[in-house]
Amino acid sequence: MSALPADETAYRLEMRDISKSYGGVRAIRHADIAIRPGTVHALVGENGAGKSTLIKIIAGAEFADAGAISFNGEPITISSTTDAIQLGVQTVYQEPQLFPELSVAENVFVGRELTRGVRVDWARQADQMHDLLATVGLPDRISTAPVGTLSIAEQQQVSIAKALAGDATVLILDEPSAILTDAEIEVLFTVIRRLTSAGVAVIYISHRLDELFRIADVVTVMRDGETITTRPIGELSVRQIAELMVGGVVSESRPQNGAATGEVVLELDGFSRTGRFDGVDLTVRSGEIVGLYGLVGSGAGDIASVIYGMDKATGGRMLVSGRPVTVRNPAQAKRLGIHLLPANRSAQGAFSFQSIALNIVVGELGLLSRIPGWASRRRERAIAQEFIRRLAVKTPTERQPISAMSGGNAQKVVLARQLVKRPALLVLAEPTQGVDVGAKEEIHRIISGLADEGTAVLVVTSDLGEVLRISDRILVVRAGQITAEFRPDATQVEILAAAAGADTPDADTTPAPIVIQEDQT
Amino acid sequence: TSRNDAAPSGASASGDKITVAFVPKLQGIPYFEAMNAGGKAAADELGIEWLYQGPTTADAAAQADIVRSFIQQGVDALIVAPNDPDSMAPLLKEAADKGIKVAPADTDAPNSVREVFVNQASVEGIGEALTDSLLTAMGGKGDYAIVSCGETAANLNAWIDVQKKYTASKYPDANIVSVVYAGEDQAAATSMATDLMNANPNLTGLVGECTSSAPGVAQAVKDAGKIGTVFTTGLGTPMSMAPYLKDGSSIASILWNVQNLGYLTAWTGQQLAEGKTFAATNNVSSDLPSVEFDSASKTLLLGPALVITKDNVDTFSY
Amino acid sequence: MTTTARPPVTAPAKNRNILSRGLEALLTQRIVLLAVLIVVVLVVMLSLDVGGFLSGSYNADYLASSLISAVPLVLLGLAQLLVIVSGRGGIDLSVGSIVSLTGVVFGLAYGVWNLGFPASLLIAVVTGIACGAVNGVLVAYVGFPPLIATLATYYAFRSIALVVSDQKPINSQEIQDFYSAAQSIELPLIGGSLPLIPLGIFTFLIPSVIVVWLVLNKTTFGRRLYALGTNDVAAAWSGIDVRANRMAVYAISGALAGLVAVVTVAQFASARPDAGTSGSGMALPAITIAVLGGVAITGGIGRVSGIVLATLLIVWLNAGILLALPGNDGTQFQLLALGLVLIFASLLNGLTKRKYGGI
Amino acid sequence: MTTETTTVRPTARRILPPPVTGQEFVLTGVIVALWVLLGVFTPAFLTPGSIQPLLVSVAPIALIGVGMTFIIITAGIDVSVGGAIMLCAVITAKMMVTANLPLPLAVGLSIAAGLLLGLVNGVLIAYGRVHAIIITFGTANLFQFFALRVFGSETVNGIPGTLDVFGRGEAGRTLGVPHSFAIMIVIAAIAWWYLRHTTGGRHLFAIGGNANAARLAGIRVQPRVMVAYAVTGALVGLAACFFIAAGTSTLDQAVGSGRELAVIAAVVIGGTSILGGRGSVIGTVLGAILVQTVTSGVTQLGWPSQLATLFVGVFIIIAVGTDLLRQRVRAQP
Ligand SMILES: Nc1ncnc2c1ncn2[C@@H]1O[C@H](COP(=O)(O)OP(=O)(O)OP(=O)(O)O)[C@@H](O)[C@H]1O
Ligand SMILES: Nc1ncnc2c1ncn2[C@@H]1O[C@H](COP(=O)(O)OP(=O)(O)OP(=O)(O)O)[C@@H](O)[C@H]1O
Ligand SMILES: [Mg+2]
Ligand SMILES: [Mg+2]
């Protein structure tokens, strides 16, 4: 199965026959990967394929159950993050691992402080900060700000700066581009090229397959915890990579959804929240799926939270079924028939160690008995079982904690919570983020089914493929304003251009992201 | 169940020997350990068994658990120095209902079913002796303050009442400026005494109302270098007071012979268990030839309060 | 604090026998562990009794009568269960002070103003709720960490109780007669063949246990509580009024402390202004019972049965130690036993949870 | 990469939070205001005879508070310090009485005992995967048990004045400053510097802010956490000497009881976040001074001493409340 090149002595890092289980879950199975200095080695695979687990093993954050690792040809064991750092393995994790109370400058140097005697050499650190920030494209003044006050994208850049602060021999980047803008990604690529020319080995994980062709030299595809193949990137096309990832021919059909003519359920008129979005007008009709597409930080997510009453509007009107309303809190939103699937499943959605049943009914506890305030466990289980069946959630019983489920199934449980009472308007924020292809398709099917039954659906997403696939109408949000409206037959290039702010799509500077889709060749 | 086959099923309620159990307010402090020593001595001489078990905190609830355990052990006589007399009363009744003879010692439980109270000295005796010894040193006049311990301790509060009344009537030129509560904490007593001296520059006397605050106030006077200008007295055990009595930071400690009190307690338990009644004057031992019994208040009185000074302090071993 | 160590990995065993399942339950489930420990304590003490090593008989009467000290422990343990389950570092250090203060108020109402029992009980509970509501407002609405808010009110309520009562216990005749509410009674019908059981068990403990169990398991409030204790951000996104619910928990904790105040007044036949704060106070034992009972200090996990079993274990263990070790040793070794049980129970569950892949 | 640039470079001063926080200014203001008021209403308050004992009482609480600040910064807590004080004090006092230990040996013994107890806590917490509050509730009982065994149902009588140099009388002061307070200030200053300027100190903040991120950044979390408890133990040992020195020639079982809450109160009044990741020893020292000022002030004003804890409670709410408010305001823009 291993398709590794023959010249083994030239490898900076080599991992052979690595396996790793979490309890009963086999996250990695007999994986092989070998990385040469001065190259960018891409690692791709579906959600849950085991990419992050593999790189955590290199970084010393997790420990393999079996397998061998060698570094510059020497067999080694990495038994802690300190070991890895001493080898020069620097890692940018998928979720920024920073210290909110500490300043950016401190965060960058934590664990590898520059010292003079026992004292931290603040002056020298400050000096280096300047260069590091310039390298990752952050302004100097940011270095004194507590990290907790930064945006997610800025935090990601700080993480990159942190990885660059050490003398890297191996740089690992786990989906660094997922939350960066195109301009920021360009800066990152410049950094990567400079490092590889200095002989650093880079491992680069990404779901944006198109960008791999611009930066990677070699690609390893993972599926179900196994490394399927390793090839020079030039030997493959995007479509081939996608098919290797899913292990078959990719074919997704677009769910059919007739143009909606139902009554207007939600109407926003000059809707604003200071500093977040401004003068938003939109309507969602019963039976219609409206896609609200925006890049991270565009304000699309804020529109959803204000509709749901998590944040306050500061201007404009909101009408529900024609009646003007001011939604003060989610409880009131729900009384108006507005339900919302939050974007961040683990932080905002899941009650981790509580049962699936509680996770499903928690939003509508009033249904659990005719006696107000009473909650029948039998009723709770019955409702949960019904939704487990309707949404085809894979679980032996509704008593299992949600923490024991895979991402896609957990997402279905959180989605089920919004459907226990039929919503008039369902707002879905990033409904399939971190969910793999199969589950994604099922969730899309469920969403269209709801629209068919007359629910008005507003999907807020930064996933271009998704918005094109399920929406009846697409609204693009940029810098807090709705800048364009498209029919679903629009091209990806058009939509991305509207979202990124380019007036004319230019294939050279804004390459069309290539997403697995039927009409692609 | 064994409820009806009564109490003394305990394996070691040792045959025909009479068992007398005593529950102090708190274990490990010299006062009650000295009572324990006296009780043990009595047990040897009188041929009875003496049991002693105290809580690690001066807490009515912890004490109740121990009393309950003694009831279960089926002792013959149960004598308690209650932290909270009222709360002990019902438990004593429970014990009496099971045929156990009950009595309080050290602190009375007047509302209980007690047959007798083993009293070290009368409330008036202690309050007046404290006042007299202090005011003699103060020249019969001036301001003084009291550093008490637990805010709710019944016996301390009773003595303080006597001190207030007695001072007002007998020493019209003297004045109690403040009563503060330091808990059982010597360091707190010391710092409160210091604060009192600072706040009242005319203060010439301090009373440490319990065994932890008596050395505490003396220490404060010593630290402030006010030996001879501020006089202290209090209820302190001899060994803890000895250094202060010798250097003059304490004038006198008012107490009673605690070991004898322990002896009397054990003897009382035996008398109760044997169903004997008390005479007006009782010959308990060679040290206690004439202990008076007041049948109106059902009180056995150890004797007058004992004034411990630098001259006699070394005769005590606790 | 918990830090992540190298996780040991076990292969999933498919057909495990009863023995290994039982072992797993024992090692990972606090309830099972506590139940086994209670049996161990009873067996050891009974054999010591038979062997003649105890100074009194460790029999049903003794076990029953020692239950009187279980009443305040269980009630306050339930109070801690509720606030700890509510998450965000929930804890209530002030319960002892609330007991003191409420006890004084009850003493005044019942023993001095002669308002009669029902009205006085109501006043006590309302006072407890008011005190708890102060904590609730500070924690839920102002955003104080619970440890700090309740440390502050612990100091404040304790002081107020002493000042209001002029530091004297209230022990009028009414209060002294009120002891009957704490006496041991014979159960009707079947009682003749059973030990006398303290009345407080029936009047306060069992009703409170049932009510709290119902609240936690059978009401929407209980379901919300577990949810918000697990993840209060997700609770807010689910439309739960997190602040109001969290506030309610502290108020209920105050109400339970109010009940304890009444029990304590009855048990000690006096309303003492330091009833809940003297010695080491009532709050620390209650928290100890809660953590021993398996309540997760991080919120969202905790069961009523854990509180009851932990209390039984401690009460019966302590009662046995008093008989086994005469003199001052008895009370001293109680401290040792409590410390060891607490540390080993939590270490065992902490270390084995990983092995068996629990939560 | 161009290195020639005119932009303002981040300076060392600005990488770190300001050396003295807003909370500490507020506390200093409150303490000064209280001292002035007390000075006006009870003229004797602002005299050496009143301030010196106040500082002597502050010293042990603040000293343990320094260690507790380390612990709470790592998002832990130690409720066993009361029991640990008791055990260290009784061992030391007993040895002083029986073996007439000279000063260095007595202090060394006490610190060694404290260090050992701190290590027990540290090992159980860092490696046992159980929350600190549970472990230290347990060890509090154990320490108390062992202390009671050492006491052996007696008080320790006739403790020699060896430890008087820690603040008793003339021998205990230099230039009017009690030595225990001076030692505490020196240790607090070292701790302040350690927390602010050394890798070890910064790592404690990192661990309290996000323990997992700290591990990923290559920090050895468990040894660091363990050391925080061990250091606190050692400070408890030294503080036990201060307690012996501040007491009488007799040591009884009440020593140390309830001190854990006093220490925690000082730390939280000082602005250290109980959730970890933020805190300062200056605030802790100020917090301890504030609590003792309130307690002494109530006695000196002639108010009922029972009111003292009411004011302590109110000051905790005010101090932490202003801190919360300030954070909220800062988070607004
Ligand atoms: N801490 C954990 N405990 C249990 N299972 C885990 C844990 N971490 C990962 N897994 C499981 O291991 C498998 C691989 O996860 P991993 O995070 O490596 O996937 P990935 O390829 O990085 O996915 P993504 O693209 O979503 O980041 C998944 O099934 C996941 O559920
Ligand atoms: N964090 C976890 N802890 C415990 N068990 C887990 C965890 N993650 C996954 N599992 C278990 O492993 C099984 C397989 O996980 P995996 O992520 O491969 O699921 P999947 O088949 O890809 O499902 P989905 O399509 O919903 O993502 C899950 O059904 C779940 O029971
Ligand atoms: Mg999956
Ligand atoms: Mg990943």
Side-chain angles (χ1 to χ4, degrees):
Chain A
M1 167 208 302
S2 162
L4 295 169
D7 179 12
E8 301 204 347
T9 52
Y11 293 123
R12 169 68 42 85
L13 183 78
E14 217 183 321
M15 302 175 78
R16 298 277 166 214
D17 208 18
I18 302 287
S19 294
K20 165 80 186 169
S21 302
Y22 290 107
V25 188
R26 300 179 67 186
I28 306 269
R29 293 187 251 178
H30 309 289
D32 295 300
I33 190 167
I35 300 133
R36 289 174 199 273
T39 61
V40 176
H41 195 126
L43 192 56
V44 297
E46 286 187 88
N47 294 125
K51 306 179 295 290
S52 298
T53 308
L54 189 63
I55 62 107
K56 281 182 192 160
I57 292 171
I58 306 175
E62 295 283 2
F63 309 97
D65 306 332
I69 307 179
S70 54
F71 189 81
N72 289 338
E74 299 284 316
I76 49 156
T77 49
I78 300 177
S79 55
S80 71
T81 48
T82 322
D83 288 356
I85 289 168
Q86 267 158 10
L87 292 171
V89 177
Q90 302 293 347
T91 313
V92 177
Y93 292 94
Q94 192 168 357
E95 328 244 301
Q97 296 289 342
L98 300 171
F99 309 97
E101 303 266 2
L102 301 184
S103 69
V104 168
E106 275 216 77
N107 266 281
V108 165
F109 287 101
V110 158
R112 62 170 71 87
E113 290 83 356
L114 305 176
T115 52
R116 211 174 46 208
V118 287
R119 194 179 191 281
V120 175
D121 191 341
W122 298 110
R124 210 145 55 95
Q125 288 196 359
D127 255 15
Q128 295 201 4
M129 264 319 281
H130 172 76
D131 296 343
L132 283 168
L133 289 179
T135 309
V136 298
L138 285 172
D140 245 359
R141 62 178 157 68
I142 214 171
S143 72
T144 56
V147 155
T149 62
L150 305 185
S151 74
I152 288 284
E154 285 168 328
Q155 293 190 13
Q156 183 69 276
Q157 287 170 291
V158 172
S159 303
I160 295 169
K162 186 168 152 74
L164 298 180
D167 284 328
T169 54
V170 177
L171 176 67
I172 301 171
L173 298 155
D174 192 351
E175 298 198 33
S177 56
I179 48 184
L180 297 181
T181 64
D182 288 337
E184 288 160 350
I185 291 174
E186 285 310 317
V187 175
L188 176 63
F189 283 0
T190 313
V191 175
I192 292 176
R193 290 198 187 99
R194 194 164 53 79
L195 290 171
T196 47
S197 61
V200 175
V202 176
I203 302 176
Y204 190 94
I205 300 178
S206 176
H207 286 296
R208 296 190 177 183
L209 302 184
D210 58 304
E211 69 186 21
L212 299 182
F213 289 87
R214 302 185 51 224
I215 191 74
D217 303 302
V218 184
V219 58
T220 293
V221 180
M222 292 190 74
R223 190 199 315 145
D224 290 337
E226 293 180 58
T227 42
I228 300 301
T229 186
T230 299
R231 302 233 218 124
I233 189 105
E235 294 179 6
L236 295 166
S237 69
V238 167
R239 187 167 184 94
Q240 282 171 311
I241 296 177
E243 291 186 351
L244 284 167
M245 277 166 57
V246 298
V249 179
V250 179
S251 89
E252 284 185 6
S253 57
R254 201 180 112 71
Q256 290 308 307
N257 207 27
T261 50
E263 65 182 69
V264 174
V265 176
L266 175 74
E267 182 175 355
L268 300 182
D269 177 12
F271 208 50
S272 309
R273 175 170 165 81
T274 316
R276 298 306 171 94
F277 56 88
D278 192 35
V280 168
D281 300 332
L282 68 78
T283 56
V284 188
R285 291 172 181 276
S286 154
E288 184 185 32
I289 303 177
V290 174
L292 203 55
Y293 175 73
L295 300 174
V296 171
S298 63
D302 296 303
I303 298 173
S305 347
V306 175
I307 292 172
Y308 192 52
M310 280 303 281
D311 291 309
K312 282 192 191 62
T314 53
R317 292 197 311 156
M318 170 170 161
L319 292 86
V320 173
S321 303
R323 273 193 313 126
V325 292
T326 314
V327 183
R328 271 177 229 90
N329 53 47
Q332 192 195 348
K334 286 170 67 183
R335 281 195 294 275
L336 292 167
I338 304 173
H339 292 195
L340 179 142
L341 176 81
N344 185 333
R345 180 174 58 241
S346 61
Q348 301 166 334
F351 299 97
S352 54
F353 40 75
Q354 302 298 343
S355 68
I356 294 171
L358 177 60
N359 269 282
I360 290 178
V361 302
V362 68
E364 302 296 344
L365 294 168
L367 295 180
L368 294 189
S369 166
R370 268 193 292 276
I371 309 161
W374 206 246
S376 148
R377 282 295 180 94
R378 191 139 42 86
R379 195 95 185 81
E380 175 176 315
R381 283 203 298 275
I383 293 175
Q385 280 159 357
E386 184 192 329
F387 280 91
I388 287 172
R389 190 176 43 73
R390 275 199 2 213
L391 271 54
V393 179
K394 276 178 260 167
T395 176
T397 116
E398 72 288 347
R399 292 167 209 231
Q400 268 223 324
I402 193 171
S403 54
M405 305 182 87
S406 72
N409 279 305
Q411 184 72 348
K412 284 191 202 166
V413 169
V414 181
L415 177 59
R417 184 186 306 158
Q418 320 309 329
L419 310 180
V420 169
K421 227 179 204 164
R422 255 274 299 278
L425 169 69
L426 178 60
V427 184
L428 302 152
E430 307 290 355
T432 59
Q433 196 173 61
V435 166
D436 60 52
V437 172
K440 190 167 177 171
E441 185 154 353
E442 285 185 50
I443 290 173
H444 288 166
R445 187 182 47 74
I446 294 164
I447 294 171
S448 342
L450 285 167
D452 290 344
E453 289 167 23
T455 303
V457 181
L458 180 65
V459 180
V460 182
T461 177
S462 53
D463 180 339
L464 193 49
E466 173 166 270
V467 78
L468 275 165
R469 195 169 159 237
I470 63 168
S471 314
D472 297 321
R473 266 190 308 135
I474 299 164
L475 301 173
V476 175
V477 183
R478 175 164 54 87
Q481 286 177 326
I482 294 188
T483 53
E485 176 164 347
F486 293 96
R487 312 300 313 173
D489 52 11
T491 68
Q492 301 196 343
V493 178
E494 282 172 334
I495 295 175
L496 196 70
D503 290 328
T504 47
D506 180 344
D508 286 341
T509 56
T510 320
I514 303 162
V515 185
I516 312 157
Q517 207 176 321
E518 225 178 11
D519 53 348
Q520 213 98 39
T521 33
Chain B
T1 166
S2 57
R3 179 166 99 229
N4 300 321
D5 51 334
S9 61
S12 66
S14 58
D16 34 42
K17 250 194 190 176
I18 287 173
T19 39
V20 178
F22 175 60
V23 182
K25 290 181 182 181
L26 174 66
Q27 61 154 278
I29 64 170
Y31 180 85
F32 286 113
E33 297 303 324
M35 273 187 82
N36 184 27
K40 273 188 195 149
D44 289 345
E45 285 176 27
L46 303 174
I48 59 174
E49 192 178 353
W50 167 259
L51 300 174
Y52 171 89
Q53 191 164 45
T56 53
T57 56
D59 178 12
Q63 217 180 2
D65 288 341
I66 296 171
V67 169
R68 219 168 281 124
S69 137
F70 277 133
I71 295 175
Q72 178 69 9
Q73 293 173 39
V75 295
D76 298 305
L78 175 56
I79 304 186
V80 184
N83 279 307
D84 180 18
D86 292 305
S87 57
M88 199 45 68
L91 267 176
L92 293 183
K93 171 151 191 323
E94 211 169 282
D97 289 348
K98 297 210 165 153
I100 298 172
K101 303 291 182 184
V102 296
D106 176 71
T107 302
D108 197 7
N111 299 318
S112 70
V113 292
R114 67 171 170 86
E115 293 171 37
V116 62
F117 165 47
V118 185
N119 195 0
Q120 57 274 50
S122 68
V123 171
E124 289 72 22
I126 293 166
E128 289 169 10
L130 276 171
T131 313
D132 285 335
S133 75
L134 182 65
L135 278 153
T136 311
M138 285 168 60
K141 62 181 189 328
D143 290 350
Y144 76 96
I146 297 174
V147 179
S148 186
C149 302
E151 285 98 345
T152 58
N155 52 349
L156 307 192
N157 288 338
W159 296 333
I160 292 170
D161 280 344
V162 172
Q163 285 165 269
K164 284 180 176 165
K165 289 201 190 89
Y166 186 65
T167 303
S169 64
K170 181 153 175 213
Y171 301 99
D173 293 335
N175 185 21
I176 301 178
V177 293
S178 193
V179 180
V180 298
Y181 301 87
E184 312 294 328
D185 185 341
Q186 290 185 21
T190 310
S191 77
M192 284 183 151
T194 310
D195 289 336
L196 288 169
M197 287 189 282
N198 283 317
N200 306 283
N202 298 328
L203 199 77
T204 49
L206 279 165
V207 180
E209 200 73 29
C210 73
T211 53
S212 64
S213 68
V217 298
Q219 182 73 52
V221 167
K222 187 171 160 186
D223 289 350
K226 291 194 172 167
I227 295 175
T229 46
V230 179
F231 303 97
T232 77
T233 183
L235 291 110
T237 46
M239 274 171 79
S240 73
M241 293 307 292
Y244 304 103
L245 291 168
K246 286 176 185 164
D247 68 20
S249 51
S250 175
I251 297 304
S253 176
I254 306 302
L255 208 66
W256 40 90
N257 189 315
V258 184
Q259 281 180 345
N260 283 351
L261 181 63
Y263 195 106
L264 178 61
T265 303
W267 176 85
T268 307
Q270 183 192 26
Q271 299 296 306
L272 290 173
E274 287 172 354
K276 294 190 184 145
T277 52
F278 299 102
T281 312
N282 304 278
N283 181 4
V284 174
S285 72
S286 52
D287 279 347
L288 296 166
S290 57
V291 173
E292 284 170 19
F293 178 70
D294 177 29
S295 54
S297 62
K298 294 203 266 184
T299 301
L300 274 167
L301 191 64
L302 180 70
L306 173 68
V307 180
I308 301 169
T309 64
K310 62 178 188 298
D311 304 321
N312 64 353
V313 67
D314 287 332
T315 59
F316 300 93
S317 62
Y318 54 90
Chain C
M1 65 153 300
T2 9
T3 45
T4 324
R6 173 191 288 244
V9 179
T10 48
K14 284 265 153 58
N15 303 312
R16 285 173 307 142
N17 56 23
I18 305 243
L19 207 71
S20 75
R21 289 243 224 128
L23 184 68
E24 171 174 347
L26 176 67
L27 293 179
T28 57
Q29 290 178 32
R30 189 63 63 83
I31 307 287
V32 180
L33 180 62
L34 288 173
V36 170
L37 284 177
I38 290 178
V39 173
V40 169
V41 165
L42 291 179
V43 167
V44 168
M45 289 297 168
L46 286 173
S47 11
L48 286 177
D49 192 5
V50 170
F53 296 105
L54 296 188
S55 55
S57 180
Y58 193 73
N59 57 17
D61 289 332
Y62 184 50
L63 292 181
S65 74
S66 65
L67 282 182
I68 193 162
S69 46
V71 181
L73 268 183
V74 167
L75 262 59
L76 293 180
L78 291 174
Q80 300 295 349
L81 166 72
L82 291 166
V83 296
I84 298 176
V85 162
S86 81
R88 276 282 144 107
I91 203 156
D92 192 346
L93 292 179
S94 71
V95 285
S97 296
I98 299 180
V99 169
S100 295
L101 180 53
T102 320
V104 169
V105 172
F106 176 78
L108 290 173
Y110 186 73
V112 178
W113 305 328
N114 291 318
L115 299 181
F117 181 70
S120 304
L121 178 71
L122 188 69
I123 289 174
V125 172
V126 169
T127 310
I129 290 175
C131 293
V134 173
N135 290 328
V137 168
L138 288 174
V139 170
Y141 288 92
V142 191
F144 274 80
L147 187 88
I148 296 176
T150 57
L151 178 67
T153 54
Y154 157 77
Y155 283 125
F157 295 153
R158 182 171 91 165
S159 167
I160 296 171
L162 286 170
V163 173
V164 168
S165 63
D166 198 19
Q167 70 262 3
K168 285 186 188 62
I170 299 166
N171 50 11
S172 61
Q173 195 57 46
E174 287 80 5
I175 298 275
Q176 287 175 32
D177 297 342
F178 187 52
Y179 177 73
S180 55
Q183 256 160 354
S184 291
I185 53 148
E186 187 175 289
L187 289 178
L189 303 177
I190 52 163
S193 55
L194 286 175
L196 299 177
I197 293 174
L199 187 57
I201 298 285
F202 302 104
T203 50
F204 286 93
L205 189 144
I206 291 178
S208 301
V209 166
I210 291 175
V211 167
V212 173
W213 185 84
L214 287 176
V215 164
L216 277 180
N217 294 287
K218 295 286 165 191
T219 66
T220 58
F221 174 72
R223 309 307 287 149
R224 280 199 296 273
L225 190 58
Y226 280 110
L228 80 90
T230 307
N231 184 346
D232 57 0
V233 175
W237 282 93
S238 318
I240 292 173
D241 187 341
V242 171
R243 293 191 290 191
N245 283 286
R246 186 166 278 150
M247 153 109 187
V249 164
Y250 285 86
I252 297 175
S253 171
L256 284 164
L259 290 178
V260 171
V262 176
V263 173
T264 310
V265 169
Q267 189 174 333
F268 293 123
S270 73
R272 292 184 307 136
D274 60 352
T277 40
S278 71
S280 49
M282 285 185 175
L284 298 192
I287 295 168
T288 309
I289 287 293
V291 295
L292 182 59
V295 182
I297 209 83
T298 42
I301 301 175
R303 293 165 68 177
V304 171
S305 52
I307 303 295
V308 175
L309 291 180
T311 308
L312 289 181
L313 173 65
I314 292 305
V315 166
W316 285 342
L317 179 61
N318 278 344
I321 290 174
L322 284 185
L323 293 184
L325 296 165
N328 291 340
D329 285 356
T331 45
Q332 293 177 2
F333 276 88
Q334 288 179 339
L335 294 170
L336 179 71
L338 178 60
L340 289 181
V341 167
L342 188 57
I343 291 174
F344 281 111
S346 14
L347 274 184
L348 191 63
N349 282 177
L351 292 173
T352 53
K353 211 170 265 170
R354 216 21 200 279
K355 179 169 158 63
Y356 289 100
I359 344 153
Chain D
M1 198 77 306
T2 45
T3 43
E4 210 51 54
T5 174
T6 51
T7 40
V8 190
R9 295 188 165 208
T11 61
R13 197 178 52 74
R14 287 173 64 234
I15 288 181
L16 289 162
V20 180
T21 64
Q23 175 75 359
E24 289 151 9
F25 282 118
V26 171
L27 281 175
T28 313
V30 171
I31 291 171
V32 169
L34 275 179
W35 281 30
V36 168
L37 281 178
L38 284 167
V40 171
F41 287 105
T42 64
F45 181 81
L46 284 178
T47 59
S50 154
I51 298 295
Q52 281 158 353
L54 190 148
L55 298 183
V56 170
S57 312
V58 166
I61 299 295
L63 188 64
I64 301 172
V66 168
M68 189 70 87
T69 308
F70 278 43
I71 289 175
I72 295 183
I73 283 174
T74 69
I77 196 157
D78 184 352
V79 294
S80 74
V81 291
I85 293 170
M86 185 174 171
L87 185 48
C88 291
V90 67
I91 290 175
T92 309
K94 254 216 161 131
M95 287 305 288
M96 283 168 63
V97 171
T98 51
N100 200 14
L101 291 183
L103 179 71
L105 275 186
V107 176
L109 174 69
S110 191
I111 292 178
L115 184 67
L116 183 70
L117 303 183
L119 268 176
V120 169
N121 279 330
V123 169
L124 290 174
I125 290 162
Y127 297 96
R129 310 175 53 76
V130 182
H131 196 280
I133 201 168
I134 302 176
I135 289 293
T136 53
F137 264 132
T139 53
N141 283 294
L142 297 187
F143 296 165
Q144 225 181 321
F145 165 76
F146 288 114
L148 289 175
R149 299 310 286 178
V150 178
F151 266 114
S153 293
E154 281 172 359
T155 52
V156 183
N157 293 316
I159 302 170
T162 327
L163 297 177
D164 283 359
V165 295
F166 287 132
R168 165 139 296 155
E170 280 306 323
R173 293 192 284 267
T174 304
L175 300 175
V177 181
H179 292 154
S180 60
F181 188 77
I183 293 170
M184 181 276 290
I185 290 291
V186 169
I187 290 177
I190 296 172
W192 178 86
W193 182 83
Y194 177 83
L195 280 178
R196 197 173 161 78
H197 287 300
T198 70
T199 47
R202 301 319 290 172
H203 288 178
L204 294 181
F205 285 97
I207 290 166
N210 183 345
N212 190 44
R215 187 175 68 89
L216 294 178
I219 296 174
R220 292 197 182 83
V221 173
Q222 287 162 316
R224 291 256 184 246
V225 167
M226 193 185 71
V227 165
Y229 288 89
V231 165
T232 305
L235 294 178
V236 165
L238 182 54
C241 295
F242 293 2
F243 279 118
I244 296 173
T248 66
S249 62
T250 301
L251 188 78
D252 66 28
Q253 302 168 1
V255 61
S257 115
R259 298 293 178 180
E260 59 279 348
L261 291 186
V263 171
I264 293 170
V267 176
V268 299
I269 290 178
T272 296
S273 163
I274 204 88
L275 307 173
R278 190 165 61 84
S280 112
V281 291
I282 300 180
T284 300
V285 173
L286 291 171
I289 294 177
L290 179 61
V291 171
Q292 191 56 42
T293 301
V294 170
T295 316
S296 284
V298 166
T299 316
Q300 295 208 15
L301 286 169
W303 294 356
S305 54
Q306 308 84 291
L307 279 178
T309 59
L310 176 60
F311 291 114
V312 173
V314 169
F315 273 105
I316 293 178
I317 291 179
I318 293 173
V320 180
T322 28
D323 203 25
L324 287 171
L325 215 68
R326 243 201 344 260
Q327 283 174 47
R328 208 168 281 179
V329 170
R330 218 172 25 204
Q332 280 301 310

